[in-house]
Amino acid sequence: MMWYCPDEMRAKFSKLMSDMYQKEVPLYGDLVQLVSDVNENVLAHDPQVKEQLEQTGELPRLSLERHGAIRVGTAYELSTIRRVFAVMGMFPVGYYDLAPAGVPVHSTVFRAIDTDALNRSPFRIFTSLLRHELIDDEALRQTVSETLAKRQIFTKRALELTEKAEKQGGLNEADADEFVREVLETFRWHEESPISKDLYEQLHHQHRLIADIVGFKGPHINHLTPRTLDIDSVQSGMIERGITPKEVVEGPPLRACPILLRQTSFKALEENVVFTDGGREAGKHTARFGEIEQRGVAVTKKGRALYDRLLNETRAAIGGAPNEANRDEYMRILAEKFSVYPDTWDELRKQDLAYFHYFAQGRSDKKVTREDLPELIAKGLVRFEPIVYEDFLPVSAAGIFQSNLGKNGQKQYDIDSNKTLFEECLGAKVTDELSLYEKAQNESIEACLAVLNGEK
Ligand code: OOG
Ligand code: NI
């Protein structure tokens, strides 16, 4: 029996999610349109970018590309989400601790792992788990766990089909179709909140994010993010179209050779809710927004250390996280600090700062090995292209969280990261993202050498 392809399932799911979110948050639809206009323009005017994306197989995926984010409340919810996403070929990669940034969660990203699977559908979901131990009021912490224990965020059918997929090793087309529709239900927005307005306010007072996680029937998708090739144009385009962007673009500054990830978002919307515990009471909730990202090359451990150092220096220079008042100053210092970060693909490669795919451009007349790569590149027998960064950045993620939390989003948490606890709740280990880029680079070098040596 040939099962329906998990990559196809993920692509369908991502499309359904995007359609649903465009209906729920029409401004997101405007953003998708803006991004698609900007990308078309870049591809029409920058043949080098187009060629690079063609070579790495990323071009067809560009219009599909997006990530989403959800926040769950319990170990049961997290470990079940892991099982559900696995059916669609999405696995936990990386550990992000947001507590140092004042957000009471830790997170991972569910995504595809292989280069081919990523090119078929790069859809990823940033998934955060509430850290109950950061709720300092004991009675409230108790109420939170009781409230969360009462809810079931998955439909009965989604759970049945997940089990079926696990037992059989996959799903047939009809089941796969039903599965993606059933799973979508978990992420739908519900205007009705199962708790009372009074409890909502207590939770909100602890942290806005706690109210967002505990106050609803399920982990509504809180944003979706298309990928753009020119984030600065999208940022200014948003203002022209009357969409209010957050103050600063997170991540590295504008560069000739983009690294890692740059992100911006539009502010969360204030939405009507009805609290239903103990009678119906109207209220407001602010959580859902839209985001845009521009992805660059994945950097090595050394490249990441340099990135972290320059970013920390920039933030230290302005006294912490950037805000509306010091935005221009921040951008100026950021660009200045990053002027020492090599900005040609050649230098990034030579200094072992980034990961690349290698492509043979012919055959060699003698047997060649890895050590010959620099010479082969110089001779034009090998070309290389950046491996795109598929993951996230904790400082940027914190900035995205914060920009949507408003003033009382600033909290101080004095607690260590706890990847072990996170993995216990998840019921699995998270894969180290660097090992994946390393592997992709190695495989591409091996394949490239095989062609050069006439073995393929
Ligand atoms: C997740 C924020 C992190 C990103 O793109 O860095 C994120 C959230 O707000 O739940 O999505
Ligand atoms: Ni995001």
Side-chain angles (χ1 to χ4, degrees), residues 67 69-71 126 128 222-223 263 289 291 392 397 400-401:
H67 83 250
I70 55 166
R71 303 150 184 173
F126 193 96
S128 301
N222 71 57
H223 67 276
Q263 295 169 292
F289 60 100
E291 185 193 35
F392 292 83
I400 299 286
F401 269 110

Side-chain angles (χ1 to χ4, degrees), residues 56-125:
T56 58
E58 283 167 76
L59 195 58
R61 85 183 217 186
L62 194 63
S63 58
L64 308 172
E65 182 113 23
R66 57 183 72 88
H67 83 250
I70 55 166
R71 303 150 184 173
V72 298
T74 63
Y76 164 78
E77 291 176 358
L78 183 67
S79 60
T80 311
I81 286 264
R82 170 181 59 77
R83 293 172 49 210
V84 167
F85 286 160
V87 178
M88 296 189 276
M90 297 162 85
F91 307 98
V93 178
Y95 172 75
Y96 301 84
D97 179 19
L98 279 305
V103 184
V105 300
H106 45 185
S107 322
T108 190
V109 175
F110 289 96
R111 67 164 176 90
I113 297 233
D114 299 339
T115 306
D116 288 348
L118 283 161
N119 280 344
R120 281 195 288 270
S121 169
F123 187 53
R124 8 174 147 62
I125 298 197

Side-chain angles (χ1 to χ4, degrees), residues 377-435:
I377 291 167
K379 279 196 200 146
L381 263 179
V382 168
R383 78 183 259 190
F384 62 94
E385 297 290 356
I387 296 184
V388 66
Y389 188 57
E390 306 285 352
D391 295 289
F392 292 83
L393 297 167
V395 173
S396 299
I400 299 286
F401 269 110
Q402 294 298 357
S403 74
N404 288 295
L405 289 174
K407 282 183 205 66
N408 86 348
Q410 303 294 339
K411 282 248 176 182
Q412 293 284 335
Y413 291 118
D414 185 17
I415 192 168
D416 291 334
S417 315
N418 200 337
K419 187 173 167 196
T420 311
L421 175 65
F422 185 82
E423 290 178 331
E424 262 168 44
C425 295
L426 180 67
K429 296 250 183 253
V430 299
T431 302
D432 166 46
E433 62 274 26
L434 288 190
S435 71

Side-chain angles (χ1 to χ4, degrees), residues 255 259 299 303-304 306-307 310 338-343 348 353:
R255 295 164 46 88
I259 54 167
V299 301
R304 181 53 185 270
L306 181 57
Y307 171 79
L310 300 175
F338 272 78
S339 62
V340 302
Y341 208 118
D343 199 12
L348 289 167
L353 291 165

Side-chain angles (χ1 to χ4, degrees), residues 271-327:
E271 297 175 282
N272 292 325
V273 282
V274 183
F275 299 101
T276 59
D277 187 28
R280 293 176 71 83
E281 238 185 305
K284 301 266 186 214
H285 182 67
T286 316
R288 302 189 306 153
F289 60 100
E291 185 193 35
I292 315 97
E293 64 187 16
Q294 181 170 0
R295 292 191 172 264
V297 70
V299 301
T300 59
K301 197 167 171 204
K302 183 178 164 197
R304 181 53 185 270
L306 181 57
Y307 171 79
D308 286 339
R309 177 165 73 76
L310 300 175
L311 188 69
N312 286 339
E313 283 176 14
T314 307
R315 293 166 83 93
I318 58 150
N323 55 43
E324 203 171 346
N326 62 19
R327 166 184 47 198

